[in-house]
Amino acid sequence: MQGTLEEVRRRRKSSAVTVKLERIDDAAVLKQAFPFLKVIEKRSLLLEEAERLPELLHFIADRRCPVICIERKEETLEELFMEVAGR
C-alpha cells in the first residue's frame, strides 16, 4: 500500500460513520432495527458499513429521530499501519 494518507484512505472500501442521537430510546430502536450497529455510548452508534448509511438515514428520517451529529470516522495513520502490518 503506497501513497499519501489521503490517497490510502480514498482507496479503502468505506469509512465508518458515527451517529449521535438526542434520545437514548431512539438509539435503542436503531440498534434493534440494525443489529450490525455498534454502541459507542448510550446515544452514539457506529456504522462500520458506510454504504448502508442511506438506509439508516431513511429509517431515522421516517421516525423523525432528532440527531445531534453524524460524523465520518477516518482511520488514523497508525490504524492504517496496524491493519497493513498485521497481515
Side-chain angles (χ1 to χ4, degrees):
M1 195 176 290
Q2 295 183 51
T4 66
L5 179 57
E6 288 305 313
E7 291 169 341
V8 172
R9 282 181 177 156
R10 269 184 260 152
R11 277 184 259 153
R12 306 265 310 139
K13 291 179 191 171
S14 63
S15 298
V17 176
T18 303
V19 179
K20 187 170 186 176
L21 299 158
E22 194 172 294
R23 299 185 300 239
I24 294 171
D25 294 346
D26 290 335
V29 168
L30 273 173
K31 175 64 176 147
Q32 186 174 7
F34 300 93
F36 51 83
L37 292 172
K38 293 186 180 178
V39 177
I40 301 173
E41 297 173 4
K42 291 179 184 178
R43 291 185 236 175
S44 296
L45 302 168
L46 179 67
L47 173 63
E48 292 181 319
E49 304 168 30
E51 61 275 1
R52 296 193 76 173
L53 184 59
E55 177 186 358
L56 182 65
L57 293 177
H58 200 39
F59 186 89
I60 290 170
D62 286 348
R63 282 152 188 80
R64 299 187 184 277
C65 301
V67 175
I68 294 173
C69 69
I70 298 173
E71 295 179 316
R72 187 170 134 212
K73 181 191 177 301
E74 292 186 343
E75 295 172 311
T76 64
L77 180 58
E78 182 179 357
E79 290 168 334
L80 288 169
F81 174 79
M82 293 305 293
E83 183 179 324
V84 172
R87 290 184 184 176

